[in-house]
Amino acid sequence: MSHSSTPVPLTASASSALRGHVRVPGDKSISHRSLMLGTLAVGETTISGLLEGADVLATAETMRALGARIERDENGIWHVHGVGVGGLMEPAAALDFGNSGTGARLCLGMVGTHPIAVTAVGDASLSRRPMGRVLGPLRRMGTEVVARAGDRLPLSIRGAETPIPIEYRLPIASAQVKSAILLAALNTQGTTTVFEPTATRDHTERMLKGFGAAIEVEPDQNGGRVIRIHGPVELKPQDVAVPADPSSAAFLIIASLIIPGSEISIDNVMLNPTRTGLFDTLIEMGADLTISNRRLSGGEPVGDITVRSSRLRGVTVPASRAPSMIDEYPALSVAAAFAEGETVMEGLAELRVKESDRLAAVAAGLVANGVDHHAGPDWLTIRGRTAPIGGGVVETHLDHRIAMAFLVMGLAADKPVTVDDTTMIMTSFPEFRSLMTSLGAVFSEAELPGTRR
Ligand code: S3P
């Protein structure tokens, strides 16, 4: 789905205490992967709790175009009738990944070792994001790539006839690159090995094990991992239950921390340690955040979170923690704006190539709302509560997390905060506004010059 709709600005204003017990939608990473592995299994995979956001719906569409039969029943369960590893069909038209880097990069891995031709397109944001990071290893596996200068979308690939197993050391901490190679390895004869110097989200590895793949994961002494997968692989269909997305829960949690008197609970949040860096950081900042009922669900740790408003203090977030909270820096920046003292965030280079240049977009949003901060090439420092906060209009640059983060800021700020567009929130968290409103958040329609509908 490409973004062509009219921007919908929104204003968030100081709200009274948030209260309630809620569920947030399914995890985006696991939702994409469950559709893809369901497609690569032979037989019927069922998925409950799938995130029905635009990014994941775009992946469902691309999997259909590659031959899977995918239906949603009246109870909200998704049924994926897979074609099996080796069975992907050549799509009749270009695959449109909309705003989704995960959809595009993982799917390029899947098709890169099937002898079919595929053209990949995306929206303006996705078309600016680097694809060379997956095309490099895929080329070594035998994928032919016809790309415009710079390896950006739109691009076309022809998958390898006889894929070559590779040993690959990830030059950047990226679960998308790792996953693209692992998915390519499924249809590759021999052992493909990926070394990751820093552990990144490991949902692909966990899910591949669940679907019956021969995959070994070995931790090294420095916090990295060696992953070996032996192909070709036959995947067995599974019943997948998708837990709630901690990256979406983050916005509710931070809103509750900074709005005095708040107390909310969120059920069944995924707590894979490769995703919980934000929660560790918030607890160091003094957050009253408790996790109960810890359990395993479908190979992933989950638990229920209760959070109460808290006096936060600034901390230093080391670069080594970045992979486990890479999507959470916009939200953390808002928490830091309300904390006492300075918060230092290091190792942020990858933020520059997300749905927007998130470091620049956060910094500009902080400027617009009077928050004392300094930004460098890969770091950000924020000094909280030095002046009244709010009153600004934030440019969201087709980035859902920039929109949600600054709306959360407005709920606790001295003056309202307006974001220039909320349409992209539907990519990851379509229920954001209604859920926040049900907890007590105050939003109002905004009209900016040139955005009249
Ligand atoms: C994701 C990996 C991360 C993350 C993205 C989802 C995934 O991207 O930012 O939202 O599902 O594998 P990178 O691999 O680029 O770090």
Side-chain angles (χ1 to χ4, degrees):
M1 193 221 64
S2 289
H3 181 80
S4 54
S5 52
T6 315
V8 179
L10 192 68
T11 299
S13 310
S15 300
S16 46
L18 301 188
R19 297 264 164 175
H21 189 143
V22 289
R23 280 184 163 255
V24 301
D27 185 70
K28 183 147 72 73
S29 294
I30 293 182
S31 294
H32 283 296
R33 287 160 172 79
S34 61
L35 289 167
M36 291 178 181
L37 294 194
T39 296
L40 289 171
V42 180
E44 182 181 341
T45 287
T46 65
I47 310 167
S48 59
L50 187 85
L51 167 64
E52 295 178 355
D55 278 8
V56 174
L57 298 180
T59 288
E61 233 10 83
T62 61
M63 294 301 113
R64 287 187 179 115
L66 291 166
R69 187 154 62 80
I70 303 181
E71 291 135 13
R72 177 190 193 276
D73 71 22
E74 64 281 8
N75 301 315
I77 309 288
W78 288 70
H79 301 258
V80 183
H81 302 266
V83 294
V85 170
L88 297 180
M89 284 167 27
E90 186 160 294
L95 302 181
D96 187 349
F97 294 98
N99 191 246
S100 177
T102 307
R105 295 195 179 113
L106 270 57
C107 186
L108 288 172
M110 277 173 75
V111 299
T113 52
H114 282 73
I116 56 176
V118 169
T119 296
V121 302
D123 73 2
S125 152
L126 185 57
S127 304
R128 281 192 290 268
R129 299 180 65 186
M131 292 294 143
R133 51 182 60 197
V134 290
L135 299 176
L138 289 176
R139 283 187 176 103
R140 281 183 47 200
M141 297 179 86
T143 310
E144 276 177 48
V145 183
V146 189
R148 242 178 13 196
D151 286 347
R152 288 342 194 227
L153 298 188
L155 56 81
S156 301
I157 68 172
R158 174 167 288 283
E161 293 279 346
T162 314
I164 305 155
I166 58 169
E167 288 191 356
Y168 194 75
R169 189 179 177 82
L170 292 179
I172 38 172
S174 167
Q176 292 178 358
V177 177
K178 170 179 66 176
S179 300
I181 299 168
L182 296 178
L183 293 177
L186 295 175
N187 200 32
T188 302
Q189 173 81 47
T191 301
T192 297
T193 308
V194 181
F195 302 92
E196 59 172 358
T198 318
T200 63
R201 65 188 71 195
D202 60 356
H203 311 303
T204 306
E205 296 92 306
R206 287 173 188 252
M207 205 181 278
L208 278 172
K209 254 185 215 151
F211 275 74
I215 178 167
E216 294 136 30
V217 180
E218 229 178 84
D220 70 16
Q221 296 99 332
N222 309 316
R225 292 177 180 172
V226 184
I227 304 144
R228 290 190 188 82
I229 182 158
H230 311 285
V233 170
E234 197 173 303
L235 298 181
K236 295 183 210 52
Q238 299 296 306
D239 296 319
V240 181
V242 182
D245 195 329
S247 300
S248 295
F251 296 105
L252 281 71
I253 289 171
I254 286 175
S256 304
L257 287 172
I258 61 178
I259 301 172
S262 300
E263 173 170 347
I264 66 161
S265 310
I266 311 173
D267 279 349
N268 198 38
V269 180
M270 199 247 294
L271 295 172
N272 181 318
T274 61
R275 295 285 298 281
T276 49
L278 175 74
F279 302 153
D280 300 336
T281 303
L282 291 173
I283 289 168
E284 285 176 14
M285 292 173 83
D288 181 351
L289 186 156
T290 52
I291 299 174
S292 58
N293 199 12
R294 284 183 185 267
R295 57 203 185 272
L296 264 185
S297 168
E300 293 280 354
V302 300
D304 304 332
I305 294 182
T306 299
V307 58
R308 296 181 191 85
S309 60
S310 308
R311 267 187 100 80
L312 301 176
R313 44 182 189 274
V315 294
T316 293
V317 188
S320 58
R321 200 179 289 164
S324 67
M325 53 180 293
I326 194 65
D327 292 334
E328 275 61 84
Y329 286 99
L332 177 64
S333 301
V334 171
F338 290 89
E340 267 171 37
E342 191 176 50
T343 297
V344 179
M345 304 171 217
E346 294 165 343
L348 306 187
E350 277 295 299
L351 291 199
R352 301 237 179 238
V353 290
K354 294 296 177 189
E355 285 83 329
S356 66
D357 175 344
R358 277 193 182 148
L359 192 40
V362 166
L366 295 173
V367 170
N369 290 290
V371 179
D372 184 2
H373 70 285
H374 295 281
D378 65 349
W379 53 264
L380 178 63
T381 62
I382 297 176
R383 197 169 276 285
R385 295 188 181 281
T386 55
I389 293 175
V393 177
V394 176
E395 282 187 65
T396 52
H397 301 283
L398 298 179
D399 190 329
H400 53 133
R401 297 200 202 282
I402 297 298
M404 291 186 278
F406 282 96
L407 287 171
V408 166
M409 174 180 273
L411 301 177
D414 304 289
K415 286 174 275 175
V417 174
T418 298
V419 301
D420 69 351
D421 186 18
T422 51
T423 54
M424 299 315 289
I425 293 175
M426 73 184 172
T427 62
S428 69
F429 197 168
E431 305 84 339
F432 173 78
R433 184 175 174 181
S434 57
L435 210 52
M436 294 295 288
T437 305
S438 77
L439 293 170
V442 177
F443 298 117
S444 54
E445 310 305 323
E447 207 166 89
L448 301 174
T451 59
R452 187 183 287 272
R453 311 193 77 186

